[in-house]
Structures are given as structure tokens and as C-alpha cells.
Amino acid sequence: MKNNEKNFAVPLVFLGGKENILKVNNCATRLRLEVKDINKIDEKEIEKYYPSVQKISSTEVHIIVGTNANIIAESLEKLLSCNDSSSNNVLDLIPLLGGKDNIVKVN
């Protein structure tokens, strides 16, 4: 993995929450999402982590994430399939803490 590539899913809160995501897909460099409400997508926050957010239509958004788009899509699908317990919601915090490699110890 290149140093500038991130290996984590976009925090759900920036995507309008779990309930806003209808479908996850990807191509070589983009995360492609079908969403209920495009206005819930927080482009400015996502662009702090990834180069670009493109609103394709009123229900489709593409996020340029790099060549590990498939890994990020899989991670996001895993998050979406989890129940809403607090232990699963903590996964949303990992990118905000600088990624899993930045976390040394959890007490």
C-alpha cells in the first residue's frame, strides 16, 4: 500500500448515516454509492480524507479513494451489515483518530 492511500471506509456520519446508504459499489479508483438523500453527504469532511467527491445525480455519489477502492467498499459493506451496537459504531471513529496504524493502545 502506498503511503498516501488510506485503507478505511468513509465514516458513516459523513455519508448521512447507515440508513442513507442504499448500495455500495466501486470501480478501480472510486467508491460508488447509491443514497437516499444526496444532501446528507458531507463533501467537505470527506475531502479531508479523500481527493474528491462527485454528486452524479440526486441519488448517486462517487468518492475518489485511490487504487484500494475495492478494500474500502468491502469495509463499508461490513460496517453496513453490522448491527447498531456501540462496539460497531466505534469503527466510525478510526479514521478520525488517524487510522488504525495511529492507534497504539485502547484502554
Side-chain angles (χ1 to χ4, degrees), residues 16-82:
K18 189 175 182 177
E19 64 283 346
N20 195 42
I21 302 169
L22 300 174
K23 185 176 179 183
V24 177
N25 205 339
N26 69 278
C27 67
T29 61
R30 295 174 190 228
L31 186 62
R32 297 178 176 185
L33 304 174
E34 183 182 336
V35 296
K36 288 181 185 177
D37 185 353
I38 198 84
N39 296 314
K40 290 184 177 181
I41 303 297
D42 191 337
E43 296 161 90
K44 290 184 182 187
E45 286 299 321
I46 295 169
E47 286 175 349
K48 289 179 182 178
Y49 302 95
Y50 297 106
S52 179
V53 177
Q54 300 171 336
K55 292 181 177 179
I56 305 301
S57 71
S58 63
T59 60
E60 186 176 359
V61 63
H62 291 185
I63 302 170
I64 298 174
V65 296
T67 56
N68 56 351
N70 63 324
I71 296 168
I72 294 171
E74 288 173 11
S75 297
L76 185 55
E77 286 175 338
K78 286 179 185 176
L79 283 174
L80 294 172
S81 67
C82 292

Side-chain angles (χ1 to χ4, degrees), residues 1 60 92-93:
M1 182 170 80
E60 186 176 359
D92 253 355
L93 297 175

